Amino acid sequence: MPPATSSAALRRVRGEGDTETIRPEAPNDPRIVWRAAFRAVRAETERRAAPLRPEDQMVQSMPDASPTKWHRAHTTWFLEQFLLLPRLAGYRVFDQRFAYLFNSYYVAAGPRHARPSRGLITRPDCDEVAAFRAHVDEAVERLIAGASDAELAEVVRILEIGLNHEQQHQELLLTDILHAFAQSPVAPAYRADWQAPPAPPAAGAFADLPGGIHTIGFHDQGYCFDNEGPAHQVLLQGARIARGLVTNAQWLEFMADGGYATPSLWLSDGWGTLEAEGWEAPGYWRDVDGVWFALTLGGLKPVDPDAPVAHVSYYEADAFARWVGKHLPTEAEWEVAARLNLIDDAFGQVWQWTRSAYLPYPGYRAADGALGEYNGKFMINQMVLRGSSHATPSGHARASYRNFFYPPARWQFSGLRLLDYV
Ligand SMILES: [Fe+2]
């Protein structure tokens, strides 16, 4: 991973909605570039947390979702644990107890608090977490400024992981609070002025996806997570891939045709989940006097028929594809189509389920040490989603990006596009 010193690197980590103009005093000085990138990412987390009151910030509505306060602290612990402790001489740990509270799943980094119980942690409170963030921010900037040229490459390597990690939590911060608000009868709005991205133009067209040998996996410029490589060849059948995403209008047709009441459309595990959970519509949909509404970050809104369907599980996406007589793309088909610019709205609307299991690419090996636990140990029982959502920080995703969740999960902004074979 090359130490990035370009303005492209800076743009990559600048947060959504960050309108600050960053003017490095010396554009070629990586210390200035990385300090600005660091500040932008850290500020974006706080910007996303700002509309939430302390009571909001500590709620945990299910084991998979974490409190906002925890996200703010965990991303800070990550920098303290993996960057400051090994790299900044004389660094003073902010609070020795925080490693236990805010380590997520890094077994090699020590014992940790039980994930389902994160919402029981009232202390540290939000003010103490803010002080933790400020303490680490100051130390990281001191590390960047004081690192020798020889040290800087390794500092930047870890820092870049830390910033991309924090961006992932920025998305989770929103999806997790939306899940929490969805449990409330009064349906709070994260931000009353929040707007969904403009619905894409209706796109029923399919594009020809050429069969043959293609290369997928990261072979581009910039940053990637380890699970995006090695780049490798795949053999595709000729196919036709939907240029657009499946919309709410299409989903309403599926529902009206008994999609949620027809076992033959469903995988066995999916039908079992449907029955256990009582699914009859996408996540966060509410029938209000015969009209479907959905809880969004802007509160309860009528379902927009033109918007891409969101908050559907893999099981639902698979059932829909079966109902319409088509398929979900594999992740290789999706990536080749994205690289060939065959699809619209690949990014920025909803993540798109693929029918690919989340597996290591040929030759993949996780790194040694605790950071090797980042992706590799989750390569079992999950499915890959591609693209990005409107909650993904600007510039965070790319054609090779692999998101992954368990098949029943639907608290992410997850939708689908279709594919058929020729
Ligand atoms: Fe994390």
Side-chain angles (χ1 to χ4, degrees):
M1 184 184 317
T5 58
S6 66
S7 58
L10 185 58
R11 283 197 302 276
R12 229 177 26 251
V13 291
R14 288 182 64 188
E16 175 192 40
D18 178 2
T19 56
E20 179 190 5
T21 299
I22 300 170
R23 297 182 184 282
E25 297 150 37
N28 294 322
D29 184 342
R31 291 174 183 79
I32 292 172
V33 171
W34 281 103
R35 185 184 68 188
F38 174 71
R39 288 180 178 177
V41 171
R42 297 287 281 171
E44 174 64 12
T45 302
E46 294 300 285
R47 191 185 73 82
R48 291 185 180 215
L52 299 169
R53 298 171 191 174
E55 294 88 341
D56 301 324
Q57 290 203 27
M58 76 157 286
V59 70
Q60 180 178 29
S61 51
M62 64 169 171
D64 283 342
S66 298
T68 299
K69 187 178 71 176
W70 185 91
H71 286 300
R72 294 172 62 208
H74 163 71
T75 50
T76 306
W77 166 81
F78 190 99
L79 293 165
E80 182 175 76
Q81 177 70 29
F82 297 121
L83 182 63
L84 295 176
L85 281 172
R87 298 279 154 204
L88 183 59
Y91 173 71
R92 177 180 61 82
V93 169
F94 181 79
D95 188 319
Q96 295 287 351
R97 300 169 299 177
F98 283 12
Y100 184 83
L101 289 176
F102 300 124
N103 177 357
S104 52
Y105 55 67
Y106 297 91
V107 175
R112 70 219 67 84
H113 187 59
R115 182 177 188 176
S117 301
R118 290 173 183 165
L120 302 178
I121 303 301
T122 60
R123 309 294 175 89
D125 62 18
C126 286
D127 289 343
E128 291 168 294
V129 167
F132 180 34
R133 288 182 67 87
H135 175 87
V136 165
D137 286 349
E138 183 277 329
V140 169
E141 294 205 9
R142 190 152 37 90
L143 174 63
I144 295 170
S148 69
D149 288 349
E151 294 165 337
L152 191 63
E154 182 62 9
V155 167
V156 164
R157 189 182 76 81
I158 304 299
L159 176 64
E160 192 166 31
I161 296 172
L163 297 184
N164 279 273
H165 169 255
E166 183 144 349
Q167 288 186 311
Q168 291 183 317
H169 281 275
Q170 289 167 359
E171 176 151 6
L172 293 172
L173 188 156
L174 295 182
T175 58
D176 292 0
I177 198 64
L178 182 59
H179 185 270
F181 284 168
Q183 314 312 308
S184 169
V186 298
Y190 163 72
R191 273 180 43 182
D193 62 348
W194 178 86
Q195 296 286 332
F206 281 67
D208 289 332
L209 178 62
I213 295 173
H214 300 269
T215 298
I216 69 161
F218 186 79
H219 54 287
D220 312 285
Q221 297 296 312
Y223 178 80
C224 73
F225 285 109
D226 65 347
N227 62 0
E228 297 170 53
H232 60 284
Q233 293 185 322
V234 293
L235 176 61
L236 300 189
Q237 300 299 309
R240 301 173 68 242
I241 189 164
R243 298 194 69 94
L245 299 161
V246 170
T247 64
N248 286 325
Q250 292 173 285
W251 205 268
L252 286 162
E253 291 178 31
F254 171 66
M255 291 163 58
D257 197 41
Y260 282 91
T262 309
S264 59
L265 294 174
W266 293 73
L267 294 167
S268 176
D269 285 354
W271 186 254
T273 306
L274 176 155
E275 288 192 308
E277 301 293 328
W279 287 347
E280 57 178 16
Y284 309 151
W285 283 30
R286 295 186 188 186
D287 184 339
V288 181
D289 299 329
V291 178
W292 284 108
F293 282 67
L295 184 68
T296 71
L297 292 168
L300 202 58
K301 306 277 189 188
V303 167
D304 177 358
D306 297 327
V309 69
H311 304 297
V312 294
S313 64
Y314 176 80
Y315 295 137
E316 289 162 288
D318 173 82
F320 181 93
R322 191 166 295 108
W323 171 72
V324 86
K326 301 194 188 308
H327 310 273
L328 300 176
T330 66
E331 64 169 321
E333 290 163 344
W334 189 100
E335 182 172 331
V336 171
R339 288 185 181 277
L340 294 175
N341 291 317
L342 299 180
I343 55 180
D344 303 322
D345 311 310
F347 304 100
Q349 293 275 348
V350 292
W351 291 97
Q352 296 132 64
W353 287 106
T354 74
R355 67 171 202 274
S356 295
Y358 179 49
L359 293 170
Y361 284 164
Y364 169 83
R365 292 194 193 285
D368 293 334
L371 278 177
E373 298 182 50
Y374 199 110
N375 282 310
K377 72 180 186 181
F378 300 108
M379 291 174 172
I380 186 69
N381 294 336
Q382 306 203 56
M383 302 300 286
V384 172
L385 301 94
R386 291 303 199 102
S388 67
S389 84
H390 61 275
T392 310
S394 176
H396 180 69
R398 54 199 155 261
S400 59
Y401 198 100
R402 307 175 79 196
N403 202 349
F404 50 93
F405 282 97
Y406 292 100
R410 60 180 196 168
W411 90 106
Q412 297 302 301
F413 296 101
S414 51
L416 67 153
R417 77 174 62 244
L418 297 169
L419 175 135
D420 205 359
Y421 293 100
V422 294

